[in-house]
Amino acid sequence: MPKRVDHDERRAEIGRALVRVAARRGLHAVGMRDVAAEAGISLRLVQYYFRTKENLLLHGLQQLTEEFGERVTARVRSAGENPGPRAVVEALLTTALPTDEESRAFHLVLTSYALLAVTDEALAAQPYLQRPDAAEDAVTGLLEQAREAGLLAPDTDARTEAITLLALAAGLGTSVLTGQRTPDSATEVLRHQLNRIFRRTQSS
Amino acid sequence: MPKRVDHDERRAEIGRALVRVAARRGLHAVGMRDVAAEAGISLRLVQYYFRTKENLLLHGLQQLTEEFGERVTARVRSAGENPGPRAVVEALLTTALPTDEESRAFHLVLTSYALLAVTDEALAAQPYLQRPDAAEDAVTGLLEQAREAGLLAPDTDARTEAITLLALAAGLGTSVLTGQRTPDSATEVLRHQLNRIFRRTQSS
DNA sequence: GTTTTCGTGATACGAACGTACCACGTTGGT
DNA sequence: ACCAACGTGGTACGTTCGTATCACGAAAAC
């Protein structure tokens, strides 16, 4: 029954299976046989579409970061037609918080990758982890824009505040992952910090 | 040549070897043979002092958290004889930043443990990761104390600020680990946030 | 219509891992 | 002085993992 098959779609499907099993048992414990079983296919096919395990892991990381970008833009877009800088920044930051079960799995695996890249040079060479400062630049730009519009104190250091917000969101995210904090609590803390920076807000 | 040996000291030595190899190759890649080689002993001895690998990992975590506590108190103590709340809080928070190579290894392994505990129930059951809110209570107390002393704005929400500071320090720490930020940059951002909370500082 | 390529299954292999077992010298108890 | 417990070495076993190999049916190419 071998019909012609879309390799990219197949790879994406296997990649999703990889993320699911990684979220359940930990990225370190993921084997090719587990991924195959999760995807409902044979081990041979996982080998066929990704020749080696390293390839599989690399593709999983790429897929995950791309999905993350899509999540951010989707969330920003859902902030309204003509959202203010505050709404955009808030949408951007709250994407980093694991709220439902899906995003929880998502962030667990992505954080595992980031930590893995510290000791694995093949992973560290991936461009997806090399250029994570795009978010920093984006938030910095939004804050400068808000400052020009008079929404921020005039002496605000946009970049420092951007770095602070991003690191805070990341830290809150992991604390939610490890069960030290509830998603609601983390969101509230993040909002509190935003309220401080944005002296006046214009809407949701 | 088997003289009577201090089991606890032996275990601590093996634990240090475990941390070293975990920092070099990743916690997931640590095997008992690696630990034995790093400690300069035979595999059999690692088995002898820790019957199972799970025991070894659990002990490594315990040792690491204890060492972390000692680091914090040592750093706080080095803040001066009669330090103000600001100095104490700063000492506490900067302990979470990987500055030199040793603390870098330290934080990498500890973060790996925390992430591992999300999917490993045996690790999650350990009390060292169950009660990490002690730091939150401590910082909250210090901030309240500072507020009473007039060092903070009277309407400061001590607990929210404490949570913010700790999550920020954790986030900055991991960003330093992954090479996204330099230790100096992270320290500066942390100080900036402290300067905001403490409107006036009294020294060091 | 034949031939080649593609998708898939089953299985085997070598390495590494955690663990268990056996043996032996040394030390402390009595 | 003898005996039991301790510390240590060497090694083997069973499992699991990533990878490679063989085989085969179906579709596409010509």
Side-chain angles (χ1 to χ4, degrees):
Chain A
M1 56 178 81
K3 285 188 179 177
R4 220 34 162 265
V5 107
D6 183 351
H7 276 220
D8 286 339
E9 170 52 29
R10 202 69 129 138
R11 269 195 269 263
E13 193 178 325
I14 298 176
R16 283 189 290 270
L18 162 68
V19 172
R20 281 198 300 274
V21 60
R24 204 179 323 128
R25 299 217 272 270
L27 186 59
H28 67 286
V30 173
M32 316 209 77
R33 286 167 176 85
D34 304 289
V35 177
E38 177 74 24
I41 59 180
S42 75
L43 166 63
R44 178 66 180 87
L45 288 196
V46 180
Q47 285 188 259
Y48 183 72
Y49 291 104
F50 306 92
R51 298 196 329 96
T52 157
K53 184 184 183 181
E54 183 177 353
N55 256 296
L56 172 60
L57 289 177
L58 256 41
H59 180 89
L61 172 59
Q62 175 180 355
Q63 193 166 322
L64 226 40
T65 53
E66 286 174 0
E67 192 184 338
F68 184 71
E70 295 168 8
R71 275 167 186 259
V72 171
T73 60
R75 204 168 187 118
V76 167
R77 197 164 282 134
S78 79
E81 312 192 352
N82 196 3
R86 151 92 196 230
V88 175
V89 171
E90 184 168 336
L92 221 137
L93 292 174
T94 51
T95 315
L97 295 181
T99 52
D100 54 9
E101 202 54 43
E102 189 197 356
S103 72
R104 185 184 155 78
F106 183 78
H107 286 286
L108 171 62
V109 181
L110 204 52
T111 310
S112 300
Y113 267 115
L115 218 52
L116 209 59
V118 176
T119 47
D120 187 317
E121 56 181 45
L123 222 52
Q126 287 297 103
Y128 312 99
L129 290 175
Q130 282 177 316
R131 285 234 98 262
D133 334 293
E136 179 182 320
D137 292 342
V139 174
T140 302
L142 284 165
L143 289 184
E144 284 171 347
Q145 180 181 331
R147 187 183 51 198
E148 306 304 322
L151 297 170
L152 272 54
D155 63 337
T156 302
D157 182 345
R159 183 157 293 269
T160 298
E161 296 295 346
I163 295 173
T164 303
L165 284 172
L166 285 166
L168 174 61
L172 287 172
T174 45
S175 74
V176 169
L177 266 186
T178 57
Q180 298 175 26
R181 196 159 306 286
T182 70
D184 287 348
S185 162
T187 307
E188 190 188 340
V189 170
L190 203 50
R191 284 229 179 81
H192 184 271
Q193 187 76 357
L194 284 170
N195 285 336
R196 175 186 68 75
I197 299 179
F198 290 84
R199 299 178 303 176
R200 286 283 184 275
T201 317
Q202 71 273 32
S203 77
S204 161
Chain B
M1 54 179 80
K3 284 188 179 177
R4 221 35 161 269
V5 108
D6 184 351
H7 276 220
D8 287 338
E9 170 52 31
R10 201 69 130 142
R11 269 196 269 263
E13 193 179 327
I14 298 176
R16 284 190 289 270
L18 162 68
V19 171
R20 281 199 301 273
V21 60
R24 205 181 320 130
R25 298 218 273 271
L27 186 59
H28 67 284
V30 174
M32 316 208 76
R33 286 168 175 85
D34 303 288
V35 176
E38 176 74 25
I41 58 179
S42 75
L43 166 63
R44 178 66 179 88
L45 287 197
V46 181
Q47 286 188 260
Y48 182 73
Y49 291 103
F50 306 92
R51 298 198 327 95
T52 157
K53 184 185 183 182
E54 183 177 352
N55 255 299
L56 173 59
L57 289 178
L58 255 41
H59 180 89
L61 172 59
Q62 174 180 356
Q63 193 166 322
L64 226 40
T65 52
E66 285 173 359
E67 192 185 338
F68 185 71
E70 294 168 8
R71 274 167 187 260
V72 170
T73 60
R75 203 167 187 119
V76 166
R77 197 164 283 136
S78 78
E81 312 193 352
N82 197 2
R86 151 91 197 229
V88 175
V89 171
E90 184 167 336
L92 223 137
L93 293 174
T94 51
T95 315
L97 295 182
T99 52
D100 53 11
E101 202 56 41
E102 189 197 356
S103 72
R104 184 182 155 79
F106 184 77
H107 287 287
L108 172 62
V109 181
L110 203 51
T111 310
S112 300
Y113 267 116
L115 217 53
L116 209 59
V118 176
T119 48
D120 187 318
E121 56 181 43
L123 223 51
Q126 287 298 104
Y128 312 100
L129 290 176
Q130 282 179 316
R131 286 236 100 261
D133 334 291
E136 179 183 320
D137 292 342
V139 175
T140 302
L142 285 165
L143 290 184
E144 284 172 346
Q145 181 180 329
R147 187 182 51 198
E148 306 303 322
L151 298 170
L152 272 53
D155 63 337
T156 302
D157 182 345
R159 183 157 294 268
T160 298
E161 297 294 348
I163 295 172
T164 303
L165 284 171
L166 286 167
L168 174 61
L172 287 172
T174 46
S175 74
V176 169
L177 266 186
T178 58
Q180 298 174 24
R181 195 159 307 287
T182 69
D184 286 349
S185 161
T187 307
E188 190 189 339
V189 170
L190 203 51
R191 284 230 180 82
H192 183 271
Q193 187 75 357
L194 283 170
N195 285 337
R196 174 186 69 74
I197 299 179
F198 289 85
R199 298 179 304 177
R200 287 282 185 276
T201 317
Q202 72 271 32
S203 79
S204 158

